[in-house]
Amino acid sequence: MAGLGLWVLGDQLHAQQAALASSVPGQARVVLIESSGVVARRRYHRQKLVLVWSAMRHFSAELQALGWQVDLLEAAEFGTTLIDWIQRQGIRTLRVMEPADRPFRQAIERLDLGGRTGVQLEWLPSNHFLWSREAFAAWAGRYKQLRMELFYREGRRRFGVLMEDGEPRGQQWNFDKDNRKPPRQGLEGPAPLLFSPDAITRAVIEKVRRLDAERAAAGEAPLPGALEPFHWAVTRQQALQVLDHFVATRLAGFGPYQDAMVSGQPTLWHALISPYLNLGLLEPLEVIRRLESAGTGAASGVEPPVPLASLEGVIRQLLGWREYMHGLYHWFGEGYAGRNHFGHTRPLPLWFEQLGGSGMACLDQVLGELDRTGYAHHIQRLMVLANYGLLAGLDPQALTAWFHRLFIDGHDWVMQTNVLGMGVFADGGLLASKPYAASGRYIARMSNYCKGCRFDPAQRTGPSACPFTTLYWHFLDRHEALLRGNPRMALVIAQLDRLPAEERQAVAVAAAAHLERAAGSAPTGAA
């Protein structure tokens, strides 16, 4: 087809993505645009920039090896570069797979490509998720109250995952009760699979270093996070190796300790494949089928077969949680991003930007790991970072933007529902049935972070009181009216009722003192 262009976005790096699948080599020209303008809008973690740009460059080379005509363009802003490419290459039809992130489609539409170049823009439905947006909407429209468990079971049936004769394997859908063990002393997970940067990745690392130098010369804030050492996979072949390594060394042990947190063990048995799924280097169904195969011992050499609780636990995250987050993001619509159920407005403390320095062992441990790699696992995100944001009353939109910028697998569709809905209950219960608020006692039970910390998670007030515990009771106290009507909060509200008035007042004073210190460390102008 003469004049056909295919625009591959940076999170669509799969040879069978919809735009590429709509044509064949020799009949279309492909463009990828590596825009440094994203840094002006959001100060992303340095390793996140390296991952995305290196993966794009590697994917461009792979497409060329398959016979595609490919232009990988570096740009300050994608808009003018894209328009110039369309005009220079004589593109009359431009096909783009629907972006997962809503704001990016809106940015493309604002370019008015048809009016400015005469090109016909064709949007193709995304094939990077198991559930299309239309299929999810058809499912969601049947319910007054959406819950992930219902969606997950429907997905198991629809895609035939862990099913036998129409029933769930093992005669139960959910093995969560088997997958919540606290860490035992000396718990260590298998070493993760690490990759050394090749020439392409080293060139991208130097590009990010130059961008940082330019920002410093202009008096702008530095990019967050360590630039090196960088050990993430940047190609589909490497991502498949990470998947195989997970199956061989981590899958069997994933379930029992998936909620555990251990100092010096940032990955434990976690799969570490979310960045690759979110960039398109891996496809969800191929990952699920590979896991199912391992669960039977077939084609993997795993003996004995992987425990069903571990297998179901990781598949639940993929077929259940990941697909549910993407579906809800589009189902809830654009207005969801502004929700703020509790009216929280506090700015983020400086330690969120500096990635350390809070004085709380748990926060500083997780922030330090995030600094080094751009990664923390799901319980560290939910029960340490987001939990602090909820209890401290941090601005939910600012916190969501921070998660998006700092995490290696962060995207708009990932973080909106995960942070606003699950993390800080800013949607008032559209996603979760209750706020996931917890005191320092939860962190003490599910981690070893509290050992050696100067704060005592059992104390609400006093010089050694844990800020998480103080803020937890303060959160319950100041939002009592909103929380009392939630049946799932009845037990903790009953505990609050038993606190004497003078204890509540002491908690309020202690919380105010902590929040004043946090406010004194709030960054200015952090984007």
Side-chain angles (χ1 to χ4, degrees):
M1 181 177 177
L4 175 61
L6 309 176
W7 184 12
V8 175
L9 307 182
D11 60 350
Q12 301 176 349
L13 308 181
H14 195 282
Q16 293 303 312
Q17 63 104 294
L20 292 171
S22 73
S23 186
V24 294
Q27 295 190 5
R29 195 170 191 97
V30 179
V31 65
L32 295 93
I33 302 176
E34 187 182 299
S35 172
S36 58
V38 297
V39 178
R41 293 186 293 275
R42 276 198 175 102
R43 290 189 302 115
Y44 286 108
H45 195 295
R46 294 178 175 99
Q47 293 203 19
K48 183 171 186 171
L49 293 172
V50 175
L51 171 64
V52 175
W53 289 343
S54 179
M56 290 175 69
R57 294 185 184 191
H58 282 91
F59 187 62
S60 172
E62 291 167 9
L63 290 180
Q64 291 180 55
L66 293 173
W68 291 97
Q69 290 182 299
V70 183
D71 298 305
L72 176 72
L73 308 176
E74 295 186 65
E77 284 292 342
F78 76 87
T80 53
T81 300
L82 177 65
I83 289 170
D84 177 70
W85 178 81
I86 290 171
Q87 294 173 332
R88 183 163 30 89
Q89 298 297 337
I91 302 298
R92 294 196 289 271
T93 301
L94 180 65
R95 293 178 185 165
V96 188
M97 186 171 86
E98 183 79 34
D101 284 354
R102 187 183 303 107
F104 199 73
R105 168 154 182 164
Q106 294 170 340
I108 296 172
E109 290 174 337
R110 285 195 297 271
L111 292 176
D112 185 24
L113 294 175
R116 296 171 70 179
T117 69
V119 74
Q120 179 180 343
L121 180 61
E122 294 183 359
W123 294 104
L124 302 181
S126 173
N127 60 359
H128 275 192
F129 295 88
L130 295 176
W131 287 76
S132 69
R133 296 169 197 180
E134 295 75 19
F136 186 91
W139 173 83
R142 294 157 38 195
Y143 299 95
K144 291 183 179 180
Q145 180 66 62
L146 302 181
R147 287 291 175 256
M148 200 279 283
E149 184 66 25
L150 297 174
F151 173 77
Y152 171 61
R153 294 183 184 190
E154 178 66 22
R156 292 266 297 270
R157 296 187 188 98
R158 179 174 296 214
F159 299 102
V161 175
L162 295 182
M163 300 294 291
E164 294 175 346
D165 299 324
E167 296 296 327
R169 187 183 300 179
Q171 299 303 306
Q172 65 184 79
W173 294 98
N174 186 323
F175 289 83
D176 270 1
K177 61 179 175 57
D178 299 320
N179 292 340
R180 294 173 177 166
K181 289 185 178 180
R184 64 176 187 269
Q185 186 172 0
L187 182 68
E188 291 186 17
L193 182 62
L194 305 178
F195 298 92
S196 298
D198 63 5
I200 291 176
T201 301
R202 289 196 298 272
V204 175
I205 289 172
E206 291 309 311
K207 174 179 178 173
V208 174
R209 204 186 310 276
R210 290 194 303 272
L211 283 174
D212 239 343
E214 292 168 4
R215 292 181 65 86
E220 298 173 348
L223 298 172
L227 179 59
E228 296 180 281
F230 179 90
H231 293 303
W232 292 98
V234 292
T235 67
R236 172 168 166 77
Q237 181 182 23
Q238 288 180 339
L240 287 168
Q241 290 177 41
V242 174
L243 175 60
D244 287 342
H245 186 263
F246 170 63
V247 168
T249 68
R250 294 167 169 251
L251 176 57
F254 171 80
Y257 296 108
Q258 64 174 288
D259 287 0
M261 299 175 283
V262 178
S263 297
Q265 292 286 312
T267 64
L268 291 173
W269 283 268
H270 292 274
L272 306 178
I273 60 174
S274 58
Y276 316 129
L277 283 162
N278 293 352
L279 291 182
L281 296 177
L282 296 175
E283 290 293 289
L285 192 58
E286 72 173 337
V287 172
I288 290 169
R289 297 304 186 208
R290 176 74 177 88
L291 296 172
E292 279 195 295
S293 175
T296 63
S300 65
V302 176
E303 289 291 345
V306 174
L308 184 54
S310 289
L311 182 61
E312 188 276 327
V314 69
I315 285 178
R316 169 179 292 271
Q317 291 193 4
L318 298 169
L319 181 59
W321 195 251
R322 183 176 185 271
E323 293 287 327
Y324 193 54
M325 292 299 97
H326 177 256
L328 286 180
Y329 171 78
H330 292 284
W331 173 253
F332 287 153
E334 191 170 359
Y336 186 85
R339 287 185 172 268
N340 191 350
H341 178 65
F342 293 116
H344 289 165
T345 58
R346 291 187 179 277
L348 273 59
L350 185 60
W351 56 69
F352 272 75
E353 198 58 41
Q354 292 180 337
L355 298 176
S358 74
M360 292 169 269
C362 56
L363 260 179
D364 289 340
Q365 177 71 31
V366 176
L367 290 171
E369 293 170 4
L370 184 60
D371 179 26
R372 289 187 288 275
T373 65
Y375 175 82
H377 69 67
H378 67 286
I379 293 299
Q380 294 172 312
R381 302 184 197 202
L382 177 64
M383 301 310 298
V384 178
L385 299 174
N387 186 34
Y388 181 84
L390 172 65
L391 302 181
L394 302 185
D395 181 323
Q397 280 68 44
L399 185 63
T400 303
W402 178 84
F403 268 88
H404 185 162
R405 291 191 297 115
L406 269 295
F407 276 88
I408 196 84
D409 55 3
H411 299 264
D412 197 53
W413 72 266
V414 174
M415 293 308 181
Q416 268 196 32
T417 44
N418 269 293
V419 179
L420 291 179
M422 190 70 173
V424 297
F425 205 71
D427 65 3
L430 291 178
L431 191 156
S433 58
K434 71 177 185 67
Y436 275 79
S439 73
R441 287 181 179 271
Y442 174 88
I443 296 171
R445 183 172 70 254
M446 294 306 299
S447 79
N448 66 356
Y449 295 157
C450 300
K451 294 179 180 178
C453 182
R454 68 187 183 93
F455 297 114
D456 182 354
Q459 299 299 315
R460 285 189 289 260
T461 59
S464 63
C466 172
F468 273 89
T469 302
T470 302
L471 294 175
Y472 171 75
W473 289 102
H474 184 51
F475 168 78
L476 296 178
D477 187 41
R478 72 183 190 273
H479 293 304
E480 178 184 354
L482 282 173
L483 299 173
R484 191 172 288 278
N486 187 325
R488 294 198 65 195
M489 297 297 293
L491 180 60
V492 294
I493 293 299
Q495 294 171 336
L496 179 69
D497 289 340
R498 290 194 288 271
L499 286 187
E502 58 270 20
E503 178 70 6
R504 287 200 189 196
Q505 180 59 31
V507 166
V509 170
H514 171 83
L515 293 171
E516 185 176 354
R517 289 194 297 272
S521 74
T524 57

